[in-house]
mmCIF file of all heavy atoms in Angstrom:
data_model
loop_
_atom_site.group_PDB
_atom_site.id
_atom_site.type_symbol
_atom_site.label_atom_id
_atom_site.label_comp_id
_atom_site.label_asym_id
_atom_site.label_seq_id
_atom_site.Cartn_x
_atom_site.Cartn_y
_atom_site.Cartn_z
ATOM 1 N N ASP A 111 129.626 8.438 189.997
ATOM 2 C CA ASP A 111 129.713 9.915 190.315
ATOM 3 C C ASP A 111 130.390 10.061 191.673
ATOM 4 O O ASP A 111 131.254 10.900 191.808
ATOM 5 C CB ASP A 111 128.366 10.606 190.274
ATOM 6 C CG ASP A 111 127.867 10.697 188.793
ATOM 7 O OD1 ASP A 111 128.638 10.590 187.895
ATOM 8 O OD2 ASP A 111 126.650 10.885 188.806
ATOM 9 N N ALA A 112 129.872 9.310 192.724
ATOM 10 C CA ALA A 112 130.401 9.392 193.983
ATOM 11 C C ALA A 112 131.888 8.955 194.024
ATOM 12 O O ALA A 112 132.694 9.584 194.706
ATOM 13 C CB ALA A 112 129.586 8.590 195.074
ATOM 14 N N LEU A 113 132.174 7.948 193.329
ATOM 15 C CA LEU A 113 133.566 7.425 193.216
ATOM 16 C C LEU A 113 134.466 8.442 192.577
ATOM 17 O O LEU A 113 135.558 8.739 193.074
ATOM 18 C CB LEU A 113 133.622 6.106 192.503
ATOM 19 C CG LEU A 113 134.988 5.409 192.449
ATOM 20 C CD1 LEU A 113 135.377 5.052 193.870
ATOM 21 C CD2 LEU A 113 134.849 4.132 191.564
ATOM 22 N N ARG A 114 134.017 9.078 191.482
ATOM 23 C CA ARG A 114 134.753 10.092 190.807
ATOM 24 C C ARG A 114 135.128 11.268 191.714
ATOM 25 O O ARG A 114 136.165 11.717 191.826
ATOM 26 C CB ARG A 114 134.023 10.532 189.538
ATOM 27 C CG ARG A 114 134.789 11.597 188.747
ATOM 28 C CD ARG A 114 133.987 12.171 187.624
ATOM 29 N NE ARG A 114 133.632 11.200 186.663
ATOM 30 C CZ ARG A 114 132.608 10.525 186.407
ATOM 31 N NH1 ARG A 114 131.507 10.843 187.180
ATOM 32 N NH2 ARG A 114 132.393 9.655 185.481
ATOM 33 N N THR A 115 133.993 11.723 192.377
ATOM 34 C CA THR A 115 134.178 12.806 193.270
ATOM 35 C C THR A 115 135.132 12.542 194.451
ATOM 36 O O THR A 115 135.948 13.283 194.880
ATOM 37 C CB THR A 115 132.844 13.269 193.889
ATOM 38 O OG1 THR A 115 131.903 13.643 192.853
ATOM 39 C CG2 THR A 115 132.934 14.320 194.896
ATOM 40 N N SER A 116 135.064 11.265 194.924
ATOM 41 C CA SER A 116 135.938 10.827 196.013
ATOM 42 C C SER A 116 137.430 10.833 195.649
ATOM 43 O O SER A 116 138.249 11.325 196.354
ATOM 44 C CB SER A 116 135.556 9.420 196.560
ATOM 45 O OG SER A 116 134.273 9.495 197.041
ATOM 46 N N TYR A 117 137.707 10.322 194.438
ATOM 47 C CA TYR A 117 139.057 10.242 193.976
ATOM 48 C C TYR A 117 139.658 11.653 193.617
ATOM 49 O O TYR A 117 140.842 11.901 193.756
ATOM 50 C CB TYR A 117 139.230 9.223 192.879
ATOM 51 C CG TYR A 117 139.619 7.812 193.317
ATOM 52 C CD1 TYR A 117 138.614 6.918 193.521
ATOM 53 C CD2 TYR A 117 140.862 7.598 193.839
ATOM 54 C CE1 TYR A 117 138.935 5.626 193.997
ATOM 55 C CE2 TYR A 117 141.249 6.338 194.367
ATOM 56 C CZ TYR A 117 140.221 5.358 194.417
ATOM 57 O OH TYR A 117 140.587 4.085 194.998
ATOM 58 N N ASP A 118 138.770 12.501 193.071
ATOM 59 C CA ASP A 118 139.167 13.889 192.853
ATOM 60 C C ASP A 118 139.564 14.530 194.219
ATOM 61 O O ASP A 118 140.493 15.301 194.338
ATOM 62 C CB ASP A 118 137.965 14.645 192.250
ATOM 63 C CG ASP A 118 137.846 14.483 190.679
ATOM 64 O OD1 ASP A 118 138.754 13.875 190.125
ATOM 65 O OD2 ASP A 118 136.817 14.852 190.204
ATOM 66 N N ARG A 119 138.759 14.170 195.248
ATOM 67 C CA ARG A 119 138.971 14.743 196.536
ATOM 68 C C ARG A 119 140.312 14.313 197.208
ATOM 69 O O ARG A 119 141.051 15.051 197.754
ATOM 70 C CB ARG A 119 137.803 14.423 197.548
ATOM 71 C CG ARG A 119 137.977 14.989 198.912
ATOM 72 C CD ARG A 119 136.827 14.545 199.789
ATOM 73 N NE ARG A 119 135.467 14.907 199.306
ATOM 74 C CZ ARG A 119 134.906 16.131 199.592
ATOM 75 N NH1 ARG A 119 135.530 16.971 200.460
ATOM 76 N NH2 ARG A 119 133.750 16.430 199.104
ATOM 77 N N VAL A 120 140.694 13.041 196.972
ATOM 78 C CA VAL A 120 141.921 12.501 197.581
ATOM 79 C C VAL A 120 143.153 12.565 196.679
ATOM 80 O O VAL A 120 144.246 12.241 197.143
ATOM 81 C CB VAL A 120 141.725 11.030 198.100
ATOM 82 C CG1 VAL A 120 140.554 10.899 198.989
ATOM 83 C CG2 VAL A 120 141.598 10.103 196.889
ATOM 84 N N ALA A 121 142.975 12.913 195.498
ATOM 85 C CA ALA A 121 144.098 12.877 194.443
ATOM 86 C C ALA A 121 145.378 13.577 194.910
ATOM 87 O O ALA A 121 146.436 13.044 194.892
ATOM 88 C CB ALA A 121 143.627 13.399 193.105
ATOM 89 N N ASP A 122 145.250 14.744 195.485
ATOM 90 C CA ASP A 122 146.452 15.562 195.800
ATOM 91 C C ASP A 122 147.111 14.918 196.994
ATOM 92 O O ASP A 122 148.405 14.775 197.054
ATOM 93 C CB ASP A 122 146.056 16.974 196.218
ATOM 94 C CG ASP A 122 145.484 17.824 195.012
ATOM 95 O OD1 ASP A 122 145.620 17.300 193.923
ATOM 96 O OD2 ASP A 122 145.044 18.917 195.270
ATOM 97 N N ALA A 123 146.362 14.350 197.977
ATOM 98 C CA ALA A 123 146.951 13.665 199.111
ATOM 99 C C ALA A 123 147.563 12.363 198.622
ATOM 100 O O ALA A 123 148.684 12.031 199.118
ATOM 101 C CB ALA A 123 145.878 13.405 200.176
ATOM 102 N N TYR A 124 146.908 11.616 197.734
ATOM 103 C CA TYR A 124 147.482 10.352 197.166
ATOM 104 C C TYR A 124 148.844 10.589 196.617
ATOM 105 O O TYR A 124 149.821 9.888 196.819
ATOM 106 C CB TYR A 124 146.440 9.822 196.123
ATOM 107 C CG TYR A 124 146.741 8.502 195.568
ATOM 108 C CD1 TYR A 124 146.096 7.323 196.037
ATOM 109 C CD2 TYR A 124 147.643 8.346 194.549
ATOM 110 C CE1 TYR A 124 146.297 6.128 195.492
ATOM 111 C CE2 TYR A 124 147.952 7.098 194.026
ATOM 112 C CZ TYR A 124 147.304 6.001 194.512
ATOM 113 O OH TYR A 124 147.566 4.692 193.892
ATOM 114 N N VAL A 125 148.841 11.638 195.796
ATOM 115 C CA VAL A 125 150.249 11.924 195.070
ATOM 116 C C VAL A 125 151.178 12.408 196.087
ATOM 117 O O VAL A 125 152.400 11.954 196.076
ATOM 118 C CB VAL A 125 149.995 12.953 194.054
ATOM 119 C CG1 VAL A 125 151.309 13.508 193.489
ATOM 120 C CG2 VAL A 125 149.121 12.417 192.861
ATOM 121 N N GLY A 126 150.779 13.276 197.036
ATOM 122 C CA GLY A 126 151.671 13.734 198.131
ATOM 123 C C GLY A 126 152.282 12.615 198.985
ATOM 124 O O GLY A 126 153.454 12.734 199.350
ATOM 125 N N MET A 127 151.516 11.613 199.162
ATOM 126 C CA MET A 127 151.941 10.467 200.036
ATOM 127 C C MET A 127 152.706 9.392 199.208
ATOM 128 O O MET A 127 153.148 8.437 199.809
ATOM 129 C CB MET A 127 150.751 9.780 200.750
ATOM 130 C CG MET A 127 149.983 10.619 201.649
ATOM 131 S SD MET A 127 148.410 9.891 202.158
ATOM 132 C CE MET A 127 148.962 8.388 202.943
ATOM 133 N N ARG A 128 152.789 9.644 197.920
ATOM 134 C CA ARG A 128 153.403 8.677 196.986
ATOM 135 C C ARG A 128 152.753 7.269 197.147
ATOM 136 O O ARG A 128 153.389 6.259 197.066
ATOM 137 C CB ARG A 128 154.954 8.531 197.233
ATOM 138 C CG ARG A 128 155.667 9.907 197.026
ATOM 139 C CD ARG A 128 157.150 9.790 197.391
ATOM 140 N NE ARG A 128 157.831 8.668 196.529
ATOM 141 C CZ ARG A 128 158.328 8.939 195.320
ATOM 142 N NH1 ARG A 128 158.266 10.157 194.868
ATOM 143 N NH2 ARG A 128 158.916 7.999 194.664
ATOM 144 N N ALA A 129 151.413 7.325 197.319
ATOM 145 C CA ALA A 129 150.688 6.073 197.407
ATOM 146 C C ALA A 129 150.853 5.342 195.992
ATOM 147 O O ALA A 129 150.795 5.971 195.020
ATOM 148 C CB ALA A 129 149.237 6.325 197.728
ATOM 149 N N GLY A 130 150.917 4.052 196.095
ATOM 150 C CA GLY A 130 151.049 3.230 194.864
ATOM 151 C C GLY A 130 152.467 3.205 194.289
ATOM 152 O O GLY A 130 152.643 2.595 193.242
ATOM 153 N N ASP A 131 153.369 3.839 195.079
ATOM 154 C CA ASP A 131 154.827 3.867 194.633
ATOM 155 C C ASP A 131 155.372 2.381 194.573
ATOM 156 O O ASP A 131 155.119 1.623 195.492
ATOM 157 C CB ASP A 131 155.693 4.716 195.517
ATOM 158 C CG ASP A 131 157.040 4.830 195.116
ATOM 159 O OD1 ASP A 131 157.348 5.468 194.051
ATOM 160 O OD2 ASP A 131 157.914 4.225 195.783
ATOM 161 N N LEU A 132 156.070 2.135 193.511
ATOM 162 C CA LEU A 132 156.615 0.762 193.280
ATOM 163 C C LEU A 132 157.990 0.504 193.963
ATOM 164 O O LEU A 132 158.442 -0.634 194.060
ATOM 165 C CB LEU A 132 156.760 0.465 191.824
ATOM 166 C CG LEU A 132 155.438 0.396 191.002
ATOM 167 C CD1 LEU A 132 155.692 0.409 189.555
ATOM 168 C CD2 LEU A 132 154.586 -0.788 191.408
ATOM 169 N N GLY A 133 158.627 1.539 194.470
ATOM 170 C CA GLY A 133 159.945 1.447 194.915
ATOM 171 C C GLY A 133 160.199 0.459 196.076
ATOM 172 O O GLY A 133 161.298 -0.153 196.131
ATOM 173 N N ARG A 134 159.173 0.217 196.869
ATOM 174 C CA ARG A 134 159.343 -0.687 197.970
ATOM 175 C C ARG A 134 158.753 -2.160 197.673
ATOM 176 O O ARG A 134 158.777 -2.908 198.575
ATOM 177 C CB ARG A 134 158.580 -0.115 199.237
ATOM 178 C CG ARG A 134 159.246 1.172 199.721
ATOM 179 C CD ARG A 134 158.244 1.747 200.743
ATOM 180 N NE ARG A 134 156.990 2.238 200.186
ATOM 181 C CZ ARG A 134 156.006 2.626 200.917
ATOM 182 N NH1 ARG A 134 156.013 2.663 202.242
ATOM 183 N NH2 ARG A 134 154.854 3.074 200.378
#
């Protein structure tokens, strides 16, 4: 539950930062 809440919390920033992008 804590992990789910944490990733919900950071999801928008994660996407905005293009974290996990394969291009590099």
Side-chain angles (χ1 to χ4, degrees):
D111 289 337
L113 186 61
R114 179 185 296 109
T115 299
S116 295
Y117 270 100
D118 281 347
R119 184 184 295 273
V120 304
D122 293 354
Y124 185 101
V125 171
M127 295 169 63
R128 299 177 61 87
D131 183 69
L132 295 168
R134 294 172 294 172

